[in-house]
Amino acid sequence: MQAPPRRFHVAGSSQLTTFDFLSVPDQTETLFQSLNRQSADDFTAGDDDHDANALFGTLRGNVVGLRYYSGVVNKNEMVSLVRQPDNPYDRNAVQVNNVYGDQVGHIKKELALPMAYIMDNKLAKVEGIVPFGTTNAFSMPVQLHFWGKEEHKASVVERLSRSGFKLCPPSKSTGFETSSYGAGSMLVPKSFRVSPGCLPVVQMTADQLKNEFDKLFEDVMDTKGQMMEPAEAVGTVLLAHQKQALAWMVSRENNNDLPPFWEQKNDIYYNLLTNFGVKERPERVLGGILSDDMGLGKTLSMIALILTNFHKGMPLPLEKIDDEETTKGDIPLSVATLGGLQKKTTEEPNEKVKTDEAVKSTEVSAGSSRSKRQKAKVTYTYSSDSEGSIDGVSPKKKSKAEQKQGKNKGGSSKGRVSSPMECFDFAAALETSAAASTSKRKVKKKGAVANAEMKGRATLIICPLSVLSNWIDQFEQHVRPNVKLSVYLYYGSDRSRDPSFLSSQDIVVTTYNVLAADFGNKNDSPLHKVDWLRVVLDEGHTIRNPNALQTKAVLDLKAERRWVLTGTPIQNSLKDLWTLISFLKLKPFTVKEWWNRTIQRPSMMGDPEGFRQALIKSITLRRTKASKINGRPVVELPERKVFIQHITLSEEEKQLYESVRKEGRTVIGRYFSEGSVLTNYADVLAILVRLRQLCCHPHLFGSSALTVDSKDDATPSELRERLINKMNLVLGSGSDEECAICLDSLRSPVITYCAHVYCKPCICQVIRAEQNAKCPLCRAEIKVDQLVEYPVEKNTSESLETKDKWLPSSKVDALMRVLLKLREEDSSVKSLVVSQFTKFLSLIEIPLREAGFSFARLDGSMSQKKRAAAIQAFQNSERGTPTIMLLSLKAGGVGLNLTAASRVFLMDPAWNPAAEDQCFDRCHRLGQTRDVIITKFIVKDSVEENMTRIQKKKRDLAERAFESKNTNEMKQARIDEIRTLMDI
DNA sequence: ACCGCCGGGTGCC
DNA sequence: ACCGCCGGGTGCC
């Protein structure tokens, strides 16, 4: 390891560039190391003026002192210019470096004088290209481009002219002869065009860019899409798209191609974008981005890769455990002792992994096809956990970790740490595809000998804490029980910090937090001392911010192959893509300057969107649930049927409903005639909520007055209270109202003085946008300081009071009838009972209890811990576990997996049909084995029926939301809605 | 000879 | 560096 380069910050100036004082790199340092070094340095340089996009002009300068430096450049090669203020001969010195950061020379001092001023004061970014004369021994010309903000142009021009230099305007030729791009130039393929004017930047169209990247990141999507069977050790049969992913990933890891934008000509490798050339072959880029939709089994695909492609397509050599051994109980840590991590309790023992039937239906999901006996075989080694203050885990999470520890200790032997001896040596691995027959003894012997050269066996997986347990769980599920895979959980304060131990593992799993904490603890990060075979970033978008410590920590890891897993498409700008590109070590883009000059800026000038998409598309493999392979969808889910069950209210209910409706109609009718519907929108909504509640159960109906008359003489605090009350009416029952600005569900709702509820960020944006902002719904004047926020309150005592005065309702009766019948027919069927009113869920609990149902509950008020427990209990298929989940419509994110249920009862319709669909997807998703039947209860001749009518309109409106942000149209739509709802 | 010219030494910042 | 610059040698052509 070379000593870290000394870096100097220029004190007292705005100059932030750091530079490398080792003008001649250590002889032992390869060019690639030197590039890596640069890349690391680049982070400390304060960047990033992306708005510096005006080209002031160009200038021919000279690079001198070539003979003192080893850095070489090619014709038309880009060079970077770095200030060197501590130069003993000239404080204005400007270094000229090539793409790999090796110094080529200096800018001649006369020009260095104004350049130093311009660079130090950040008046312009100066970039260089050496047009010719690259073989000169003493000096060579350099074409300089000055980029910056328009307002700095004048002073740049002035500074230069003061020293007798004149910028050539960008539109004119700058003496950068186009002839140099002629037939004589072997570096620039014809397909690459030179942009017009004096911009000698080799620009590519999006298509050309894509082609280049495709050389590396082959797009398996629409084409033949090869499939590959995983290694024997993978116990789960892969789905077609997972086999494709495996084939793609294996080929990505074993590929021998030059990285994109590199070309070989006569023993020299040229980078097409920078014209940089080296004798050494550029390092291969092994890895990529797997961006399949949530639920398509990225984790399984990655596990398959780890086991299948250890070296040159050979599987990871793993010791097999025969059955005798497994039953002896000397398994270091059975999964059972890990229970705290993820209570994957039992499944139907009669389903075997190997039966095709089971495989087809269970896929990657819940592993509902593993018997207990089979499970207890993956070797887990991990540190016991005590408070890892170091990793910044929240107390809540910690307590979860403590549980883990508790269980661990309770288990047999305390977390045995598998010794490096148990691992197979590298050489042996190459000879035998799977060291299945190797005896334990032999292995130990060999392992001891080969330990020294055992470099890069282990895969490091970094993930957010929330999915840590999932990884452990997935290894358990998908790795055949008779192979011994060492998975080390690098987490908790007792974790082993021995690099040689870590590198002897098959897999090490840790979190971004732990990694960053170690990295922050200066020069003592065990994970950074290991040469990993593979580094895998789960939820890769976590490293979007290049300044974050965790990002730096991740980029600093040493690995042969690198993967990014992300469930969300990469939606951000090219700029955000840079961290990922940098992580993948696509040279020379690991250095920000080259990324900016060759990709970022050229894309800005052309078609950034197309450019970005081409880049992303070519670099990633992404499939959605809708993707097809050979015309068949990637995921074939069981059917989903939606039925509407109409409810007729009892006479009593009807009377109550009608009286409230009449009252409401009168009120709203008055608003209509006054033309003040929208001014009183909160009241209108409150009336509607009440009617919706009455459709469900009379007890949901609150006791406060229907309308809250707003008098103008109210004191501010009275007004405030009244507004909060109104908001309570609208939001309090857990219903799903939406913001008229973003048309989405309310996030941090606020109410205006004119009583309209919006998302706080949405309305604040509106207010900021114009001087005298008006309420989008009623045009009343609004101000930020008049917005009233919805108080975060907890009221859970109410459900108790309703207990004693329980009476049924038509809707609840209907639900109970279906549930009872269902239980009779097939007691294994589980159901979701969904409502927007959490209070309603509480009411439903009563008859459920009476009928002896075992049920779980999930709503937004529950702690993370309680949620996990509820989900776990429900997903468990054992006898006696809950068969019903009471679910509040919007609880849980898209990730919520409730596949144990195959029936859904939607107790009340939502405003937003998308919210309903999302809810259905919680059980209608990968892992669902039965057809899903959804029942919507809709009260006849009621506001509910009208709501379903509106849902369709809503869908249209949402689709057009982009074109028309027209408030008038929205207003009219609202008014129409209310008319429909109230039959006015 | 307070010049010009020649030729060798030399050369980044 | 096939330059420019410097400084010493030299001096009609």
Side-chain angles (χ1 to χ4, degrees):
Chain A
M1 288 288 308
Q2 84 269 15
R6 285 168 283 160
R7 289 196 291 253
F8 296 86
H9 286 270
V10 185
S13 94
S14 58
Q15 160 72 14
L16 284 173
T17 310
T18 47
F19 59 92
D20 183 357
F21 199 68
L22 297 174
S23 45
V24 180
D26 189 314
Q27 286 305 308
T28 58
E29 186 186 41
T30 68
L31 288 173
F32 290 100
Q33 283 170 329
S34 124
L35 180 60
N36 285 333
R37 167 169 53 82
Q38 271 253 313
S39 145
D41 284 2
D42 190 64
F43 277 108
T44 56
D47 354 279
D48 219 41
D49 3 19
H50 286 291
D51 39 353
N53 272 331
L55 179 58
F56 298 159
T58 65
L59 187 64
R60 170 72 65 80
N62 277 300
V63 188
V64 293
L66 303 188
R67 61 169 154 156
Y68 300 98
Y69 308 102
S70 62
V72 290
V73 287
N74 293 301
K75 195 169 165 173
N76 293 328
E77 183 172 329
M78 295 182 174
V79 289
S80 82
L81 303 160
V82 180
R83 277 281 288 119
Q84 191 185 16
D86 285 357
N87 186 295
Y89 303 95
D90 184 356
R91 292 184 306 114
N92 297 317
V94 176
Q95 285 179 291
V96 178
N97 297 342
N98 72 10
V99 171
Y100 272 12
D102 295 321
Q103 184 166 6
V104 176
H106 279 103
I107 292 291
K108 211 164 150 49
K109 63 174 182 296
E110 292 79 3
L111 181 54
L113 173 75
M115 266 179 70
Y117 180 86
I118 288 162
M119 292 169 81
D120 292 349
N121 291 292
K122 293 196 178 274
L123 298 176
K125 236 181 203 170
V126 191
E127 297 176 352
I129 290 178
V130 175
F132 54 83
T134 54
T135 52
N136 295 351
F138 304 102
S139 75
M140 64 172 89
V142 59
Q143 198 65 29
L144 300 170
H145 299 251
F146 291 76
W147 298 85
K149 293 183 191 164
E150 202 55 53
E151 67 247 43
H152 293 139
K153 182 172 178 178
S155 47
V156 168
V157 169
E158 193 273 332
R159 246 322 130 157
L160 287 169
S161 73
R162 204 190 281 188
S163 298
F165 295 96
K166 193 167 176 290
L167 273 185
C168 300
S171 52
K172 281 188 203 143
S173 169
T174 58
F176 184 78
E177 285 83 20
T178 44
S179 65
S180 64
Y181 276 116
S185 170
M186 65 175 182
L187 303 182
V188 187
K190 284 190 193 98
S191 58
F192 291 30
R193 62 187 168 79
V194 181
S195 65
C198 69
L199 247 179
V201 174
V202 181
Q203 250 190 354
M204 302 164 95
T205 64
D207 274 353
Q208 287 166 334
L209 181 82
K210 177 171 160 32
N211 285 341
E212 271 310 306
F213 268 95
D214 276 357
K215 283 184 190 165
L216 185 64
F217 301 103
E218 274 176 30
D219 194 0
V220 289
M221 286 301 295
D222 27 30
T223 55
K224 41 249 146 192
Q226 304 233 325
M227 300 196 196
M228 184 179 190
E229 291 297 332
E232 212 189 316
V234 179
T236 306
V237 173
L238 300 191
L239 297 178
H241 73 277
Q242 291 160 347
K243 290 178 191 169
Q244 277 190 352
L246 180 61
W248 180 72
M249 291 195 287
V250 167
S251 81
R252 287 292 318 113
E253 288 198 341
N254 298 342
N255 115 46
N256 252 323
D257 297 345
L258 282 171
F261 307 112
W262 287 88
E263 198 175 74
Q264 185 182 10
K265 279 271 168 75
N266 310 325
D267 298 336
I268 305 278
Y269 299 91
Y270 294 101
N271 182 272
L272 298 173
L273 287 180
T274 60
N275 283 321
F276 180 73
V278 260
K279 285 225 175 84
E280 302 166 59
R281 190 188 168 89
E283 270 173 283
R284 295 170 300 162
V285 172
L286 306 179
I289 302 170
L290 181 61
S291 167
D292 281 350
D293 244 3
M294 174 121 212
L296 295 191
K298 287 186 293 296
T299 307
L300 173 57
S301 301
M302 184 50 66
I303 291 171
L305 177 71
I306 292 169
L307 295 176
T308 307
N309 191 44
F310 175 49
H311 189 80
K312 291 186 176 162
M314 295 295 201
L316 184 66
L318 290 171
E319 185 179 352
K320 267 195 182 171
I321 306 171
D322 51 39
D323 267 314
E324 275 180 342
E325 259 181 290
T326 53
T327 46
K328 269 187 218 160
D330 68 339
I331 298 106
L333 258 181
S334 75
V335 172
T337 60
L338 275 172
L341 265 181
Q342 166 111 19
K343 294 141 240 170
K344 184 100 263 162
T345 21
T346 45
E347 292 89 27
E348 294 97 298
N350 47 344
E351 275 184 67
K352 281 279 186 274
V353 191
K354 281 179 190 165
T355 69
D356 283 337
E357 196 187 332
V359 163
K360 259 184 223 143
S361 53
T362 54
E363 307 164 344
V364 290
S365 69
S368 53
S369 49
R370 246 334 137 71
S371 77
K372 263 181 187 166
R373 193 190 63 82
Q374 284 174 306
K375 287 201 299 187
K377 288 168 199 167
V378 180
T379 305
Y380 288 98
T381 51
Y382 64 96
S383 59
S384 66
D385 183 307
S386 50
E387 301 314 290
S389 58
I390 190 171
D391 29 52
V393 177
S394 73
K396 200 189 285 174
K397 299 239 165 97
K398 271 180 190 166
S399 69
K400 192 181 170 189
E402 273 167 1
Q403 267 192 347
K404 213 186 301 169
Q405 179 191 12
K407 298 243 183 171
N408 176 21
K409 280 179 177 161
S412 51
S413 54
K414 158 155 175 149
R416 189 191 74 168
V417 161
S418 69
S419 88
M421 295 295 197
E422 289 172 8
C423 299
F424 290 74
D425 73 82
F426 194 85
L430 304 186
E431 289 159 19
T432 56
S433 62
S437 55
T438 324
S439 77
K440 223 172 182 175
R441 167 168 260 155
K442 190 176 160 196
V443 168
K444 279 189 179 174
K445 214 165 100 196
K446 269 192 146 182
V449 176
N451 214 6
E453 56 191 273
M454 247 181 47
K455 189 182 162 192
R457 173 196 178 90
T459 293
L460 175 66
I461 296 168
I462 305 154
C463 62
L465 181 60
S466 57
V467 296
L468 194 66
S469 62
N470 184 52
W471 274 98
I472 303 298
D473 193 48
Q474 298 272 305
F475 278 114
E476 168 202 329
Q477 284 177 35
H478 300 305
V479 179
R480 233 174 245 288
N482 64 343
V483 296
K484 199 154 135 197
L485 182 73
S486 57
V487 179
Y488 184 75
L489 184 57
Y490 187 80
Y491 188 82
S493 54
D494 284 358
R495 60 184 180 260
S496 163
R497 302 177 153 273
D498 175 6
S500 70
F501 163 71
L502 292 171
S503 63
S504 72
Q505 298 299 306
D506 296 319
I507 289 136
V508 175
V509 189
T510 193
T511 69
Y512 288 100
N513 279 338
V514 171
L515 180 76
D518 274 12
F519 187 68
N521 280 346
K522 299 300 166 211
N523 15 313
D524 188 39
S525 173
L527 297 177
H528 288 87
K529 290 185 182 136
V530 175
D531 285 304
W532 300 101
L533 175 68
R534 217 186 260 106
V535 171
V536 179
L537 305 187
D538 194 15
E539 305 300 333
H541 50 267
T542 24
I543 62 158
R544 203 164 31 213
N545 175 7
N547 298 317
L549 189 62
Q550 60 182 17
T551 304
K552 295 175 189 177
V554 162
L555 295 190
D556 223 41
L557 289 165
K558 288 175 285 182
E560 185 186 308
R561 318 168 191 178
R562 290 161 220 271
W563 286 100
V564 176
L565 306 182
T566 169
T568 50
I570 301 150
Q571 324 160 312
N572 300 291
S573 64
L574 267 178
K575 188 182 130 201
D576 291 337
L577 207 60
W578 177 76
T579 18
L580 294 185
I581 300 287
S582 186
F583 170 71
L584 295 176
K585 304 294 178 219
L586 256 143
K587 280 146 197 168
F589 312 119
T590 42
V591 177
K592 196 81 149 283
E593 175 177 356
W594 305 115
W595 170 257
N596 286 341
R597 283 178 68 174
T598 57
I599 306 279
Q600 178 103 32
R601 186 165 48 224
S603 79
M604 295 301 200
M605 304 191 152
D607 164 21
E609 188 48 32
F611 207 87
R612 205 199 93 220
Q613 280 179 9
L615 179 58
I616 290 170
K617 198 179 170 202
S618 54
I619 212 172
T620 62
L621 177 58
R622 169 168 179 76
R623 279 81 54 88
T624 64
K625 274 181 225 174
S627 298
K628 292 187 175 176
I629 294 177
N630 301 330
R632 295 178 65 188
V634 151
V635 183
E636 287 190 71
L637 289 176
E639 266 198 85
R640 185 184 104 167
K641 292 175 196 147
V642 181
F643 295 102
I644 290 179
Q645 182 166 343
H646 288 282
I647 305 287
T648 311
L649 294 181
S650 70
E651 269 314 308
E652 268 174 274
E653 288 168 331
K654 203 167 212 152
Q655 269 180 25
L656 182 56
Y657 180 89
E658 278 306 322
S659 74
V660 174
R661 190 177 85 97
K662 255 184 212 144
E663 196 186 334
R665 253 183 88 156
T666 316
V667 173
I668 295 174
R670 194 174 70 232
Y671 293 149
F672 266 113
S673 55
E674 288 171 3
S676 62
V677 175
L678 293 172
T679 325
N680 295 289
Y681 196 60
D683 287 341
V684 174
L685 283 180
I687 292 166
L688 291 171
V689 168
R690 281 162 190 286
L691 289 174
R692 288 163 57 201
Q693 290 172 332
L694 281 175
C695 289
C696 295
H697 196 283
H699 279 177
L700 288 178
F701 182 85
S703 53
S704 52
L706 250 189
T707 57
V708 189
D709 291 321
S710 49
K711 288 175 189 128
D712 294 325
D713 56 351
T715 67
S717 67
E718 279 171 349
L719 179 61
R720 191 182 179 83
E721 198 178 322
R722 210 175 286 157
L723 287 169
I724 291 176
N725 275 338
K726 283 196 187 191
M727 202 157 31
N728 259 318
L729 278 175
V730 178
L731 305 168
S733 0
S735 71
D736 173 39
E737 296 305 332
E738 66 203 54
C739 166
I741 298 170
C742 64
L743 298 175
D744 215 325
S745 308
L746 285 164
R747 301 161 285 148
S748 50
V750 290
I751 189 163
T752 61
Y753 272 23
C754 51
H756 294 109
V757 182
Y758 301 101
C759 304
K760 191 176 181 188
C762 291
I763 193 67
C764 285
Q765 203 187 342
V766 169
I767 296 173
R768 247 181 283 121
E770 44 189 312
Q771 286 275 270
N772 298 311
K774 301 212 166 56
C775 173
L777 286 170
C778 72
R779 310 306 294 167
E781 260 196 49
I782 47 173
K783 287 179 181 152
V784 174
D785 55 7
Q786 287 178 344
L787 298 175
V788 176
E789 294 195 37
Y790 187 60
V792 215
E793 100 299 16
K794 298 255 173 201
N795 54 331
T796 38
S797 54
E798 273 179 282
S799 54
L800 296 171
E801 126 197 35
T802 52
K803 219 172 190 174
D804 35 348
K805 42 180 176 176
W806 160 256
L807 45 120
S809 77
S810 300
K811 215 182 237 183
V812 176
D813 283 347
L815 171 72
M816 289 309 294
R817 269 198 300 277
V818 185
L819 286 176
L820 288 167
K821 189 167 167 236
L822 207 57
R823 179 165 69 180
E824 219 170 275
E825 286 169 357
D826 183 352
S827 59
S828 74
V829 172
K830 295 197 176 198
S831 310
L832 303 179
V833 173
V834 184
S835 171
Q836 299 169 76
F837 306 107
T838 50
K839 211 171 151 188
F840 191 30
L841 295 176
S842 305
L843 280 169
I844 294 172
E845 286 185 18
I846 298 164
L848 285 182
R849 252 185 228 110
E850 262 170 28
F853 280 104
S854 164
F855 60 88
R857 174 171 175 146
L858 192 68
D859 66 52
S861 69
M862 292 164 72
S863 70
Q864 209 53 51
K865 200 172 165 183
K866 276 187 160 179
R867 282 175 201 227
I871 295 165
Q872 215 119 49
F874 183 70
Q875 285 290 85
N876 193 328
S877 53
E878 268 177 279
R879 206 164 271 286
T881 55
T883 55
I884 292 165
M885 168 71 87
L886 293 171
L887 182 68
S888 112
L889 185 83
K890 304 211 68 179
V894 274
L896 181 53
N897 185 345
L898 297 173
T899 44
S902 55
R903 294 292 303 254
V904 181
F905 298 97
L906 187 70
M907 301 310 293
D908 37 273
W911 286 111
N912 188 349
E916 290 183 1
D917 285 338
Q918 247 180 48
C919 173
F920 303 153
D921 280 348
R922 295 191 177 144
C923 69
H924 189 246
R925 57 188 283 161
L926 206 66
Q928 179 57 262
T929 56
R930 314 186 193 214
D931 287 349
V932 172
I933 299 174
I934 295 150
T935 309
K936 291 185 183 185
F937 291 109
I938 303 288
V939 172
K940 258 191 173 165
D941 304 319
S942 77
V943 64
E944 288 190 341
E945 221 168 34
N946 294 334
M947 278 175 74
T948 53
R949 227 170 281 161
I950 287 176
Q951 284 189 347
K952 193 197 158 340
K953 277 192 198 164
K954 202 139 231 163
R955 247 180 253 257
D956 298 343
L957 189 67
E959 275 165 24
R960 287 185 299 134
F962 283 107
E963 323 158 14
S964 75
K965 276 275 176 189
N966 186 337
T967 44
N968 273 333
E969 199 172 325
M970 271 174 7
K971 269 165 77 173
Q972 195 51 50
R974 297 255 142 187
I975 290 172
D976 290 349
E977 263 178 32
I978 293 161
R979 277 190 196 279
T980 310
L981 287 167
M982 298 300 292
D983 294 320
I984 292 175

